[in-house]
Amino acid sequence: MIQGCIIAVVLASLALCWRNHQRGATVTRLEAFRTKMKILFLVLAVCSLCSKAIVHTYRHFNPPPPPIIGP
């Protein structure tokens, strides 16, 4: 599931980059800023998905000890 999300995000970013590359027009400051923000959000999304997968895997193989109940 997580791998599919990562692949989808990467493909979407490649499509956006290809579309911007095909324009051939000069880039304004606002368009450059938007492109930088898209890349930043893409990196943050991929990093958050990967970190969640790492934490989930660690917790799966290293469960917390059972609670001690009673005297």
Side-chain angles (χ1 to χ4, degrees):
M1 172 76 179
I2 292 176
Q3 294 166 345
C5 292
I6 293 172
I7 292 171
V9 169
V10 169
L11 289 177
S13 67
L14 288 174
L16 288 173
C17 291
W18 182 77
R19 188 187 80 184
N20 288 338
H21 178 70
Q22 294 297 322
R23 282 186 185 173
T26 58
V27 178
T28 64
R29 287 186 181 187
L30 183 60
E31 289 175 340
F33 177 75
R34 286 182 181 171
T35 303
K36 288 179 184 178
M37 288 298 109
K38 287 177 186 178
I39 292 170
L40 178 67
F41 287 132
L42 170 69
V43 168
L44 290 175
V46 171
C47 289
S48 68
L49 289 175
C50 291
S51 66
K52 286 180 184 178
I54 292 169
V55 169
H56 177 74
T57 305
Y58 177 79
R59 288 184 182 166
H60 177 75
F61 290 109
N62 299 308
I68 300 173
I69 301 174

